Amino acid sequence: MSSAALRGDALIHRMNELIRDVPDFPSPGIGFKDITPLLADAEAFAGMVAEIAGRVDGPVDLVAGTEARGFILAAPVAMALGAGFVPVRKHGKLPGPTAAEEYSLEYGTATVEVHPFTVPRGARVLIVDDVLATGGTAGATIRLFERCGAEVVGLSFLVELAFLPGREVLAGHRVDSLIAVA
Ligand code: AMP
């Protein structure tokens, strides 16, 4: 069964309907954005991938997706752009050798890793994830690719939590989000 991709305002409207707000998940006080109903809607999923890819300015060699939901979005965006895909994984998941970058969480730290031999020096990298919150994950991912000698040409998100400072944390980079939540 095939279906057309949604576009423009109809796409954004449908995405807003399909993204589920789950209060207090995974911990009290967090309003979790559940994108699984959006992924299950063929028209919205295809439209979202086309929209992210269509907003990209200039050539991209690699699309990086952040574990785990970033993988789901970044891989089809990479195919739409004719680019390769690089998974950005949590510590200990890649067999290595890895390049790693640590960042701060509210309590403790986390680490993102890539296989640097999949990132040629000078590669133009687009970073894709589902939600931009504090910008900690995306900031560490930028540093990771820059340390590999790549150029981060932009960051694309489905949802930006605009009441958090993610965009300021990523200042100096092209940040695009399909939906901003005030
Ligand atoms: P941050 O590093 O604070 O910008 O958080 C971004 C990462 O955490 C992304 O990989 C998101 O998938 C996830 N995340 C943060 N906040 C939320 C939220 N409210 N709903 C869903 N995912 C979130």
Side-chain angles (χ1 to χ4, degrees), residues 31-33 69 129-137 161:
F32 187 78
K33 298 289 179 190
R69 290 178 297 277
D129 205 354
D130 63 337
V131 174
L132 172 62
T134 66
T137 312
L161 304 181

